[in-house]
Amino acid sequence: MIGFIVFGLVVGAVARLLIPGKQNLSLLATLAIGVVGSVVGGLAANALGTGSLFELNVIGAIVAFLAAAALIVAVEKSGVAGRHA
């Protein structure tokens, strides 16, 4: 589980680097987006028969990075990232 969280943080950070410009996301938001991207990547790898949800593999990692990047774009476009309570 710790490895899954650490990989999620790496996925979120790399996805932020793939998106041009500055994103207004906290470390916690980056972690959450990375973990969601990792889950999507694991599910995609499982659906393609290349691995399981909690198994690190190339297909799952690529999908995880792309899913996290798409989530970052969606969060930025929705304006949720810039709101403060």
Side-chain angles (χ1 to χ4, degrees):
M1 191 63 157
I2 300 287
F4 193 72
I5 293 170
V6 170
F7 185 67
L9 185 58
V10 170
V11 167
V14 170
R16 285 185 68 175
L17 292 173
L18 293 174
I19 306 299
K22 184 180 183 312
Q23 297 86 32
N24 190 17
L25 296 172
S26 67
L27 182 63
L28 187 60
T30 301
L31 173 63
I33 288 172
V35 168
V36 170
S38 295
V39 169
V40 171
L43 290 172
N46 190 24
L48 294 172
T50 62
S52 70
L53 177 62
F54 296 106
E55 181 181 320
L56 181 61
N57 62 54
V58 175
I59 301 280
I62 291 169
V63 173
F65 291 124
L66 294 175
L71 283 169
I72 289 171
V73 170
V75 167
E76 288 289 313
K77 293 237 184 234
S78 72
V80 173
R83 293 184 189 162
H84 298 285

